[in-house]
């Protein structure tokens, strides 16, 4: 039999089961559930009607262990003991309450329902613990890779931030996704100019005026453009750079993932063209670099034990990369005259390209010519230059 609980003349809860649930327990459950259905995957708000947005109470309270020994998951001893205990109650919409009581009651055992409740209430607790200083402005950037246009799905960005950050208003979208292909020289000039223009109009004024305190960067584009993007932000402004996990199709960093040892290889002698080889998502053979530059090169290499496209999993790996690269750039700079150009050949995940760009110190670091090898090209070709004082 259904029962209605009232306080100060207002209806609080419908669909209560046989045991009367005290008002203070109902309030506690509503607070822990955030006023939303706790059934996994639902999260429906229970305080307003979906179509009209009228303020109504659509909630049901479900018992995990039934209040009656004869009910779903009921027990002679535990049912009366847990009937009014908030740890045994779930806030639900009518549809999912009916599912676990009637339609599919044999599919949902006590352990599974308790895990649903734990997951949901932990998420609500984390969300309501967010402080104002934890907000972050989301920046997105995309450009065609080869002949394939790139479109970023904004749905996953907020999930990637949570629970450490939350979005600071609307996201800022950079990038044009032009009809050019990255095997055309005009592509690089066009995309680079457009990116710099958009950054100058949409982002730079907000950074200059202190309206952005933290950045969250989501980007997918050819590697030289990702480096350019990072160099526009630099590391002056606090930022998190995110990486698309292709297997799971989300942007969330994994926790406590094993660290990566970044291996630095030095040239045997310093008598040629300074070159930086990033062999991380794949191996770039030195012969390809010498062929592209048509010269004997001093090749400095950063690699890992087993280079492959999906090695990057966690934020701590990005930090380790940044530390290794910054030390190497200082080392390289000390070996060559001021103003000499460093040639960069990248094979690394998108996030590390952005992070590399952020590490470049304007005017203090060497000018850098960035080379690109698309899927359509067997050889590397020059794409763009970073840290060129003549362009600033």
């Amino acid at each position: 039999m259904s029962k209605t609980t009232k306080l100060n003349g207002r209806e609080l809860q419908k669909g209560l089961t046989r045991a009367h649930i005290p008002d203070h327990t109902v309030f506690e459950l509503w607070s822990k559930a955030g006023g939303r259905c706790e059934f996994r995957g639902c999260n429906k708000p229970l305080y307003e009607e979906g179509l009209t947005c009228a303020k109504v109470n659509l909630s049901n309270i479900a018992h995990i262990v039934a209040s009656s020994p004869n009910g779903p998951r009921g027990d002679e001893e535990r049912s009366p003991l847990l009937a009014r205990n908030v740890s045994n109650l779930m806030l639900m919409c009518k549809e999912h309450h009916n599912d676990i009581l009637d339609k599919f009651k044999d599919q949902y055992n006590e352990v599974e329902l308790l895990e649903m409740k734990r997951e949901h209430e932990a998420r609500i607790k984390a969300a309501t613990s967010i402080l104002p200083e934890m907000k972050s402005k989301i920046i997105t950037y995309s450009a065609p890779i080869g002949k394939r246009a790139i479109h970023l799905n904004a749905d996953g960005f907020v999930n990637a931030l949570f629970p450490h950050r939350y979005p600071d208003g609307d996201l800022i979208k950079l990038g044009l996704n032009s009809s050019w292909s990255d095997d055309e020289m005009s592509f690089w000039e066009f995309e680079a100019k457009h990116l710099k223009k958009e950054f100058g109009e949409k982002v730079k004024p907000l950074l200059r005026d202190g309206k952005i305190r933290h950045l969250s960067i989501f980007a997918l584009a050819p590697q030289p453009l990702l480096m350019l993007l990072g160099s526009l932000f630099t590391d002056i402004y606090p930022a998190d750079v995110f990486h698309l996990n292709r297997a799971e199709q989300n942007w969330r960093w994994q926790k406590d993932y094993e660290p990566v040892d970044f291996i630095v290889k030095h040239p045997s002698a310093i008598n040629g063209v300074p070159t930086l080889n990033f062999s991380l998502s794949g191996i770039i053979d030195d012969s390809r670099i010498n062929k592209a530059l048509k010269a004997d090169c001093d090749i400095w290499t950063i690699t890992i034990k087993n280079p492959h496209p999906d090695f990057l999993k966690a934020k701590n790996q990005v930090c380790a990369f940044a530390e290794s690269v910054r030390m190497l750039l200082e080392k390289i700079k000390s070996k060559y005259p001021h103003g000499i150009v460093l040639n960069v050949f990248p094979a690394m995940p998108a996030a590390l390209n952005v992070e590399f760009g952020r590490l470049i110190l304007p005017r203090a670091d060497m000018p850098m010519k960035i080379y690109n090898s698309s899927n359509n090209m067997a050889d590397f070709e020059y794409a763009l230059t970073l840290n060129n004082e003549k362009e600033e």
Side-chain angles (χ1 to χ4, degrees):
M1 179 181 297
S2 66
K3 189 172 183 179
T4 301
T5 299
K6 292 186 177 181
L7 184 65
N8 295 331
R10 292 184 299 169
E11 185 179 284
L12 291 177
Q13 186 61 45
K14 291 180 179 179
L16 299 185
T17 52
R18 297 173 186 172
H20 170 71
I21 300 175
D23 293 336
H24 66 83
T25 303
V26 174
F27 281 132
E28 182 180 356
L29 180 61
W30 261 82
S31 299
K32 288 183 173 181
R36 292 176 175 270
C37 177
E38 296 192 271
F39 192 88
R40 183 180 288 131
C42 182
N43 205 44
K44 176 182 177 181
L46 303 175
Y47 44 80
E48 66 181 12
E49 201 280 324
L51 183 63
T52 65
C53 295
K55 302 306 176 186
V56 293
N57 180 11
L58 303 174
S59 67
N60 281 202
I61 290 182
H63 284 76
I64 296 173
V65 174
S67 61
S68 167
N70 298 323
R73 300 163 301 278
D75 181 87
E76 286 289 343
E77 294 183 3
R78 298 171 67 229
S79 287
L81 291 174
L82 295 174
R84 298 173 179 83
N85 193 317
V86 73
S87 66
N88 185 53
L89 305 176
M90 294 179 71
L91 197 69
M92 286 193 179
C93 63
K94 179 181 178 181
E95 292 77 11
H96 287 117
H97 190 195
N98 288 341
D99 283 350
I100 71 164
L101 284 181
D102 301 316
K103 295 180 184 177
F104 309 106
K105 61 182 179 181
D106 295 332
Q107 294 184 20
Y108 302 109
N109 59 41
E110 179 181 351
V111 172
E112 184 174 10
L113 291 173
L114 284 170
E115 182 60 18
M116 286 188 193
K117 176 180 173 69
R118 186 201 65 77
E119 287 176 358
H120 181 93
E121 293 180 8
R123 188 174 73 250
I124 296 299
K125 183 177 180 180
T128 53
S129 299
I130 289 176
L131 301 173
E133 56 266 28
M134 295 166 69
K135 65 182 179 180
S136 180
K137 176 62 73 174
I138 294 177
I139 309 289
T140 73
Y141 174 62
S142 61
I145 299 176
K147 297 185 182 297
R148 178 168 59 97
I150 301 297
H151 300 285
L152 302 183
N153 186 347
D155 292 344
F157 299 157
V158 175
N159 286 334
L161 266 63
F162 186 78
H164 307 293
R165 298 277 177 184
Y166 69 97
D168 180 9
D170 295 333
L171 61 80
I172 296 177
K173 183 179 180 181
L174 306 177
L176 184 62
N177 262 319
S178 66
S179 59
W180 298 103
S181 161
D182 64 7
D183 58 0
E184 301 174 78
M185 193 59 223
S186 51
F187 168 86
W188 301 106
E189 181 180 0
F190 182 80
E191 287 285 347
K193 283 184 176 179
H194 184 76
L195 174 56
K196 291 177 182 177
K197 181 175 183 292
E198 282 202 309
F199 180 86
E201 293 175 352
K202 296 181 178 180
V203 182
K204 195 171 183 178
L206 299 178
L207 292 172
R208 184 182 57 235
D209 297 342
K211 294 182 178 179
I212 298 178
R213 299 297 181 89
H214 185 274
L215 301 157
S216 291
I217 303 171
F218 299 81
L220 200 56
Q223 295 180 87
L225 290 172
L226 294 173
M227 292 181 177
L228 173 59
L229 175 69
S231 71
L232 295 174
F233 287 104
T234 75
D235 64 354
I236 295 175
Y237 304 103
D240 291 326
V241 182
F242 290 85
H243 177 67
L244 178 63
N245 184 323
R246 294 188 295 180
E248 299 181 8
Q249 284 299 299
N250 66 52
W251 294 84
R252 291 184 69 87
W253 288 118
Q254 295 185 22
K255 296 179 181 178
D256 304 323
Y257 208 82
E258 62 184 36
V260 171
D261 267 338
F262 290 95
I263 304 165
V264 178
K265 299 179 180 179
H266 295 197
S268 57
I270 306 297
N271 53 20
V273 177
T275 307
L276 180 53
N277 174 352
F278 286 108
S279 287
L280 297 171
S281 56
I283 298 174
I284 302 174
D285 191 84
D286 289 353
S287 62
R288 297 180 66 195
I289 294 174
N290 291 322
K291 181 180 179 181
L293 295 179
K294 298 179 175 62
D296 292 328
C297 302
D298 301 343
I299 301 178
W300 305 75
T301 301
I302 289 188
T303 188
I304 55 177
K305 186 177 180 180
N306 296 304
H308 63 94
D310 300 318
F311 80 89
L312 190 64
K313 302 292 185 184
K315 189 176 176 180
N316 68 312
Q317 296 172 338
V318 179
C319 296
F321 168 82
E323 183 177 353
S324 297
V325 170
R326 190 60 252 166
M327 291 174 62
L328 182 57
L329 288 178
E330 292 298 324
K331 181 77 170 179
I332 296 173
K333 186 168 57 176
S334 71
K335 299 294 183 180
Y336 299 94
H338 177 75
I340 196 168
V341 173
L342 176 64
N343 298 278
V344 181
F345 290 76
M348 57 181 170
L352 296 189
N353 283 283
V354 178
E355 191 67 20
F356 174 70
R358 293 184 67 234
L359 293 170
I360 298 172
L361 302 177
R363 298 182 176 85
D365 278 330
M366 305 161 74
M368 300 181 193
K369 285 187 175 181
I370 315 300
Y371 288 76
N372 182 66
S373 176
S374 75
N375 294 332
N376 301 323
M377 298 187 301
D379 299 325
F380 280 91
E381 293 187 359
Y382 167 75
L384 51 84
T385 299
L386 302 179
N387 218 30
N388 187 355
E389 292 184 10
K390 294 179 181 179
E391 295 182 0
E392 298 177 0

